[in-house]
Each structure stands twice: as C-alpha cells, then as structure tokens.
C-alpha cells in the first residue's frame, strides 16, 4: 500500500508536484489551533507540534491554485504525516476555503486524498467538519464546476465519504486502502479486497485505477474533457459504420440488428471521439460491462456518452447512464447515447436490484436534461429498456437496426401465435428503420461517412 518505491507515502507537496506544471499555495485567515484543542485533550498540542516539525506543515491539508496538463484548477492535498491526514477544525477551514476559491475563480477542484478520517482529539468538533465539506461541495456542484478526487493511500473515514466518494470523477492509485472503515475498525474476517482501489473499482465506486506515473496525464485529460467553453451544442450524429441498404421486411431488420458481425458501440465510440475517458459504475455497488459511459473529446469539444453494447442492460447500467447524463446536464456538456439492447435484464436478480427504478432514473434524466441529447440506434432497440436512452425528437437509426415495442417472438407468444407467425408479426410491428422515420419515432436513417 504505497505511492512510491519502498512503500513510502509521498508528502502532500510531492504529490502536488508530481501532477502539476505550477502551484501557488493559499492559506485561509485565522490562527492555528491553540493548546490542546477544543476538548482540552491532554498532549494534543504537543502532538501537533511534533507533526509540524516532522512534516514542515501547519496542518493536515494544504491547498492552492495550479496548472495540470496546461489547465488551471484548485488543488487540495492531504499530508498523511500530519496526524494521519486527519480532519480537524483547522483542516476544515482549509477545505472550505479551497471549495470557495474554486467557486470564485470558476475552476475545477482536484483533491489528492490521503487521510485516516476525523481527528479523535477534537471529538465531535472534528466530525462536524464533514458537514462543512459536504456543504462546500454541494455549493460548488450547484455552480456547475467539476470535482475530481484522487484516492491515495489510505483514503478512509470521512475523507473518503465526502471529498472522495462525493466527487464527479474518482481515480485511485494502485493498492490504495479505500473504505469508510479504516484498517483497525473493520469487522473481523472482512474481505480485504473490498477495501482496496481494485476492489472499489470492481464494485463501481472508482472510475479508474491509475498508475502514479500516468496520474498527471490522466488528470490533464479529465480536466480537458470537463472544461466547457460555451453553450452546449447538440452532439453531431455519428456516421453509420456499415453500408447496408434498407431491409425489405421487418424480419430482415431484426436479423441484421442481431448479426454477430455488426459494428458495436465500442467501434462507434472509437470512430467518433479523438479521446475518451470512462465513468465506471453506478456508485451503488454495481457495474454493467454492457453499458459504456464517460466523456470524450471530439474536435476539441467535450461530449458525454452512454452506450449500450448489445446485451440485456442491467440495473447498474441504467444507474450509471443516469449518473453520467445528470453530470453532463450540471456541467453543460451535450450528451450522445447509442442504443443497442434486446431489452432490459428481466431476471430475478435484476428485479431485486431495482430494474424498474433504474430505468425510471434514465427516463427522468433524459426528460429533465437542459443540455441537448442526441441518440442513435445502432442495433437492437428492445422496448422500454432501449427507449429510456432515446432523446425525444432527436433519435436517429442506422440501416441495420430496429426499434420495437416488443421483440417479435414475444409479441407472437402473447398473441398466442405459433413460431411460424413470428416473421409476419415482425412486419406488423413496423420496426424497420424506414418505418420508424415514417412514424415520426426517428428523425433519419444515417448513412456511412462519405468516402474520399
């Protein structure tokens, strides 16, 4: 569990220097904590003096303005050598001041978190600093400014549950201890993997685990992807990646959409974006590998995306998509959705984990978005599980796709028709791309990019 060679945790200033082009420290007004603190904890003053002498810092948090990847931001860094990077009254002053500075200067906030939690020697005075941090974070969120957290080792307690988990983008260093419970207060026999960067990533709580030598570059990419320079314009409709002619029958459309060799979401995203970054997981313990979400750059302009990959979409996938659409709406980013699913997962596990509520979240996020949403059906459009991601009035289709209220096989079964009637039922459903345009469900059938 380390940030550098030999298992040594980097001091806060070294962590800042490793990712910045330049840094200017700021300090809030007010005197340092005096004596033995608000509780009169015997020896607390002496402990702080020793920590200051050892680290050269007056508190466990420092902050200021800096440049990462050539872009300005406000940086916060925890000094773990100062009483375990713990949160107390004066570190709360600094954190609140950092959020205020970001809001005043209209800058994103980057937090380099390394903390063991709240400072016991200040009791409840230390714990209520979490409310201050949460309030400052909420105000910055309401101002439409992004927050990126980097989880160093360790990131536990209130620091994880506010600056860390509350950020828009959560990155972590390999092997870092991450969790609300620190190593000394976990239940006996608890799975240690659950408290690691890798475990939290697997559970959808961390967007990416990033090697230390890649961290500065990754932060620069994220700052570029989340920097909005003007009003959100609709994301251009992607070009089709196949040159098929329109299907003759409904069943032809279904077979083309289900073809194994048809281009999938990953290929569309790679062709569409110059650079893209993943937002992983629903922040409720779930990840759906069949839903790709994140923010990409196209001709220098950021676009948020949510893309189905041709599988039945899990509740975690819908929650992740809703998370990304809401983030885009708050930051002023246009949204692109790619629709390709036979339908929402409908097994017992999906119902237990809230399929209906998760789909409702996406419907609500799209319906309430103030930024433009562009949708393209690239394969199967299976019922409400596909429609949830479709932008009303701005949905387009490829020639090898279909969109239907229900799969033809299921429609035939409900109508008590035999297997021999499935093809005819597909025709009655009018699910072909050209049918969808004629019905007003889709705006256009998109074609491939013109050749040279």
């Amino acid at each position: 569990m380390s940030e550098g060679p030999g298992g040594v945790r980097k001091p806060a200033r070294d962590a800042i220097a490793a990712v910045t082009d330049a840094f200017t420290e700021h300090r809030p007004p007010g005197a340092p904590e005096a004596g033995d603190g608000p509780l009169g904890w015997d020896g607390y003053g002496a402990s702080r003096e020793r920590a200051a002498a050892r680290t050269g810092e007056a508190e466990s948090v420092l902050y200021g303005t800096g440049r990462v990847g050539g872009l300005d931001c406000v940086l916060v860094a925890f000094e773990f050598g100062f009483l375990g990077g713990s949160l107390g009254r004066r570190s709360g002053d600094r954190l609140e001041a950092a959020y205020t500075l970001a809001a005043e200067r209209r800058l994103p906030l980057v937090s380099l978190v390394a903390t063991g939690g709240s400072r016991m020697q200040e009791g409840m005075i230390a714990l209520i600093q979490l409310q201050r941090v949460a309030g400052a974070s909420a105000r910055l969120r309401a101002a439409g400014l992004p927050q990126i957290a980097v989880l160093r080792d360790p990131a536990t307690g209130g620091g994880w549950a506010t600056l860390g988990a509350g950020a828009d983008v959560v990155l972590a260093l390999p092997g870092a201890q991450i969790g609300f419970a620190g190593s000394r207060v976990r239940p006996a026999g608890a799975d240690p993997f659950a408290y690691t960067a890798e475990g939290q990533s697997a559970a959808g709580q961390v967007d990416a685990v990033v090697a230390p030598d890649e961290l500065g570059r990754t932060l620069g990419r994220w700052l570029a992807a989340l920097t909005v320079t003007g009003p959100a314009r609709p994301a251009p409709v992607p070009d089709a990646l196949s040159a098929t002619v329109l299907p003759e029958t409904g069943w032809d459309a279904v077979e083309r959409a289900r073809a194994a060799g048809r281009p999938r979401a990953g290929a569309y995203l790679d062709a569409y974006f110059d650079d893209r970054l993943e937002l992983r997981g629903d922040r409720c313990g779930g990840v759906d590998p069949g839903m790709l979400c994140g923010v990409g750059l196209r001709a220098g302009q950021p676009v948020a995306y949510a893309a189905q990959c041709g599988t039945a979409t899990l509740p975690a996938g819908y929650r992740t998509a809703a998370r990304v659409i809401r983030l885009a709406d708050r930051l002023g980013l246009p949204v692109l959705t790619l629709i390709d699913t036979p339908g929402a997962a409908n097994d017992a596990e999906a119902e237990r984990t809230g399929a209906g509520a998760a789909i409702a979240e996406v419907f609500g996020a799209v319906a309430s978005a103030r930024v433009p949403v562009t949708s393209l059906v690239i394969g199967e459009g299976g019922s409400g599980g596909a429609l949830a991601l479709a932008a009303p009035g701005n949905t387009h289709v490829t020639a090898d796709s279909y969109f239907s209220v229900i799969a033809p096989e299921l429609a035939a079964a409900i109508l008590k028709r035999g297997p021999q009637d499935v093809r005819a039922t597909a025709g009655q459903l009018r699910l072909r791309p050209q049918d969808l345009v004629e019905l007003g469900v889709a705006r256009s059938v998109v074609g491939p990019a013109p050749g040279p």
Side-chain angles (χ1 to χ4, degrees), residues 33 39 44 48 59-61 82-83 85-91 117-127:
E33 190 69 65
L39 304 187
Y44 176 43
R48 287 201 320 278
E59 249 302 338
S60 62
V61 170
F82 193 102
L83 301 181
S86 56
L87 293 172
R89 178 162 52 187
R90 296 306 178 219
S91 53
S118 299
R119 197 169 296 172
M120 291 182 296
Q121 298 94 327
E122 294 188 23
M124 283 300 298
I125 298 301
L127 192 64

Side-chain angles (χ1 to χ4, degrees), residues 6-296:
V8 177
R9 293 183 176 98
K10 281 184 178 179
R13 293 182 189 276
D14 289 355
I16 291 174
V19 299
T20 56
D21 307 324
F23 177 70
T24 302
E25 185 178 1
H26 290 240
R27 294 195 177 184
E33 190 69 65
D36 284 334
L39 304 187
W41 186 289
D42 186 35
Y44 176 43
S47 295
R48 287 201 320 278
E49 290 175 4
R50 290 192 296 271
R54 184 169 57 252
T55 63
E57 304 295 346
E59 249 302 338
S60 62
V61 170
L62 61 115
Y63 75 100
T65 55
R67 290 179 67 80
V68 177
L71 296 170
D72 293 330
C73 62
V74 170
L75 288 119
V76 169
F78 283 73
E79 175 53 68
F80 190 78
F82 193 102
L83 301 181
S86 56
L87 293 172
R89 178 162 52 187
R90 296 306 178 219
S91 53
D93 291 343
R94 293 181 174 217
L95 290 171
E96 188 171 48
Y99 281 98
T100 301
L101 178 65
E104 290 173 346
R105 301 203 178 183
R106 301 292 304 170
L107 293 174
L109 183 102
V110 176
S111 301
L112 308 177
V113 182
T115 174
S118 299
R119 197 169 296 172
M120 291 182 296
Q121 298 94 327
E122 294 188 23
M124 283 300 298
I125 298 301
L127 192 64
I128 63 173
Q129 302 311 308
L130 304 183
Q131 293 174 322
R132 294 179 69 188
V133 172
S137 176
R139 291 189 291 274
L140 193 62
R141 189 175 295 111
L145 294 165
Q147 301 172 43
I148 303 173
V150 176
L151 307 178
R152 300 158 60 209
D153 182 41
T156 59
W160 159 234
T162 50
L163 286 94
D168 301 311
V169 179
V170 182
L171 310 176
L173 297 182
Q177 299 177 70
I178 301 169
F180 189 62
S183 59
R184 298 183 182 181
V185 296
R186 296 170 191 162
D191 179 9
F193 181 71
Y195 301 89
T196 64
E198 293 75 11
Q200 295 283 12
S201 175
Q205 309 291 356
V206 167
D207 292 305
V209 179
V210 183
D213 58 358
E214 286 291 319
L215 183 57
R217 177 175 173 273
T218 300
L219 283 172
R221 290 171 64 205
W222 267 116
L223 289 172
L226 299 178
T227 297
V228 179
T229 56
R233 295 183 174 86
V237 181
D239 295 317
L241 297 184
S242 54
T244 57
V245 296
L246 290 171
E248 292 186 10
T249 69
W251 188 247
D252 288 340
V254 172
E255 288 191 313
R256 287 185 185 183
R258 293 176 179 175
R262 174 181 54 76
R264 305 286 166 159
Y268 273 90
L269 295 174
D270 287 343
Y272 190 81
F273 289 114
D274 305 315
D275 187 25
R276 62 184 173 99
L277 295 140
E278 182 181 12
L279 287 166
R280 174 183 172 83
D282 65 357
R283 297 297 186 262
C284 298
V287 175
D288 181 359
M291 179 76 81
L292 301 178
C293 294
V295 181

